[in-house]
Amino acid sequence: MQYLEFLKIRLQGVVPESTRLPSGFHLIGHVAILNLNNSCVSFAEQIGQVTLEYDKRIKSVAFKTGPTEGCFRKPDYTLIAGDSNTLTTHVEAGVSFRVDPLRFTFSGGNRAERIRMGKIVESEERILDMFACVGQFSLHAAAKPGTEVIAIEINPDAYSLLVENISLNKLNDRMSAILGDCRNVHPKGSMNRVIMGYLHDTQNYLIHALDALVSEGGIVHMHIALPEDKLLETTETVGEICSSHGFTSQVSIRRVKIYAPNIYHNVFDILVE
Ligand SMILES: C[S@@+](CC[C@H](N)C(=O)[O-])C[C@H]1O[C@@H](n2cnc3c(N)ncnc32)[C@H](O)[C@@H]1O
């Protein structure tokens, strides 16, 4: 039975008919994350309890209570039902992640992009992930045999899980992690591909990605949250930054997800030569 239908049947007489119940959830390991409409918030606990009964894999239920904030990009979710231990193991396209989705961003809308990273990287590539968190992009990239991956993370707690995840996926022979600010600790002149999985003013970090590339250039995946009408201006800025570094650039832009009303999460795939 569909989740929404299940909720409607189980909550009949408990919530008013006008309540706009959620039509789905994002499952990360044993944790279900809900997006609740305002009309649902006062029934959050009841919805959480019924959600636990919907799918045996679900042991904890949380919902989004505020925006993701700060340099560490900590999400704002509130547990509404089930196990308060939300540290879990999530498996995606054969890659395992130890992650606590209530403490670290693990976006459902980025799933296809994470998996794409594992598909487009080529053997023998040296890849840098500048904003690694628990390894959302870099573990997929490192899963491709023959790659060599360096992942940088500034938050010590996310870094600990990143290190654990490298071992969990038996990637120690070709993936390593660095704790620190990617602007200061990135390798120089040695990478073929750089992943910049950070959405806010990411162009300000682009010079460091260019510094990391080999002198022939390479590919940079620059994620950024922007309104549609800023795409052209940002493409021009990217071109100027690359050219001030002595590189030419070709940009192709893909929309990953809707980030906020009229703001889109885009990835700029930048071919740098
Ligand atoms: C929004 S999360 C995204 C994680 C992952 N790249 C993804 O897209 O799913 C951004 C991560 O970058 C880290 N971060 C922020 N500024 C950083 C910096 N200057 N150097 C290294 N890591 C940084 C944060 O701690 C956080 O874990």
Side-chain angles (χ1 to χ4, degrees):
M1 189 189 297
Q2 294 287 308
Y3 173 64
L4 179 56
E5 203 185 333
F6 184 79
L7 285 185
K8 278 184 181 161
I9 293 170
R10 296 297 308 275
L11 292 170
Q12 203 168 21
V14 178
V15 302
E17 289 215 350
S18 57
T19 310
R20 285 177 53 204
L21 291 166
S23 58
F25 50 83
H26 176 216
L27 186 63
I28 306 161
H30 71 258
V31 185
I33 305 285
L34 303 176
N35 245 325
L36 293 185
N37 179 275
N38 281 343
S39 67
C40 289
V41 172
S42 35
F43 307 103
E45 277 180 40
Q46 290 93 326
I47 294 169
Q49 285 301 331
V50 174
T51 303
L52 284 176
E53 292 162 31
Y54 177 69
D55 185 328
K56 281 198 176 65
R57 295 172 299 173
I58 302 174
K59 305 281 180 243
S60 311
V61 185
F63 80 111
K64 191 173 164 79
T65 29
T68 301
E69 278 183 338
C71 160
F72 291 174
R73 310 307 303 156
K74 187 181 178 303
D76 185 357
Y77 295 144
T78 301
L79 187 79
I80 47 177
D83 194 342
S84 61
N85 178 9
T86 48
L87 177 63
T88 190
T89 303
H90 181 72
V91 181
E92 182 177 82
V95 177
S96 300
F97 296 87
R98 285 292 283 166
V99 63
D100 183 340
L102 269 58
R103 296 178 63 208
F104 309 103
T105 315
F106 202 99
S107 168
N110 291 3
R111 184 175 188 275
E113 183 61 21
R114 287 191 293 270
I115 293 173
R116 182 177 85 106
M117 278 302 111
K119 291 192 173 142
I120 61 172
V121 298
E122 289 174 18
S123 296
E124 313 303 325
E125 272 188 14
R126 285 174 55 84
I127 301 153
L128 175 67
D129 185 353
M130 288 173 63
F131 303 92
C133 195
V134 302
Q136 284 90 330
F137 290 127
S138 35
L139 288 167
H140 279 288
K144 174 70 73 73
T147 54
E148 202 178 317
V149 177
I150 298 175
I152 304 175
E153 173 51 49
I154 200 169
N155 174 354
D157 295 329
Y159 169 81
S160 293
L161 284 172
L162 172 65
V163 170
E164 189 179 335
N165 285 334
I166 293 171
S167 297
L168 180 66
N169 289 281
K170 301 188 172 51
L171 292 170
N172 299 73
D173 59 334
R174 59 174 183 274
M175 180 166 174
S176 58
I178 300 174
L179 174 63
D181 185 325
C182 60
R183 289 171 289 197
N184 306 325
V185 300
H186 63 78
K188 290 193 168 66
S190 55
M191 296 288 138
N192 306 110
R193 188 183 293 268
V194 180
I195 304 165
M196 305 175 75
Y198 189 70
L199 293 179
H200 307 280
D201 295 325
T202 324
Q203 72 277 11
N204 294 344
Y205 298 81
L206 183 57
I207 47 166
H208 304 289
L210 299 176
D211 263 357
L213 288 176
V214 294
S215 56
E216 298 78 26
I219 295 169
V220 178
H221 303 286
M222 188 186 85
H223 293 248
I224 189 161
L226 287 175
E228 187 88 40
D229 62 5
K230 290 280 180 210
L231 286 177
L232 187 60
E233 187 184 316
T234 308
T235 306
E236 284 166 6
T237 305
V238 164
E240 284 158 20
I241 294 169
C242 290
S243 120
S244 71
H245 245 68
F247 286 123
T248 61
S249 60
Q250 281 176 57
V251 175
S252 114
I253 304 173
R254 292 176 325 101
R255 187 179 284 180
V256 175
K257 63 178 187 285
I258 298 174
Y259 181 75
N262 296 318
I263 310 271
Y264 302 97
H265 170 175
N266 305 284
V267 58
F268 284 50
D269 289 338
I270 313 168
L271 175 64
V272 179
E273 287 172 310

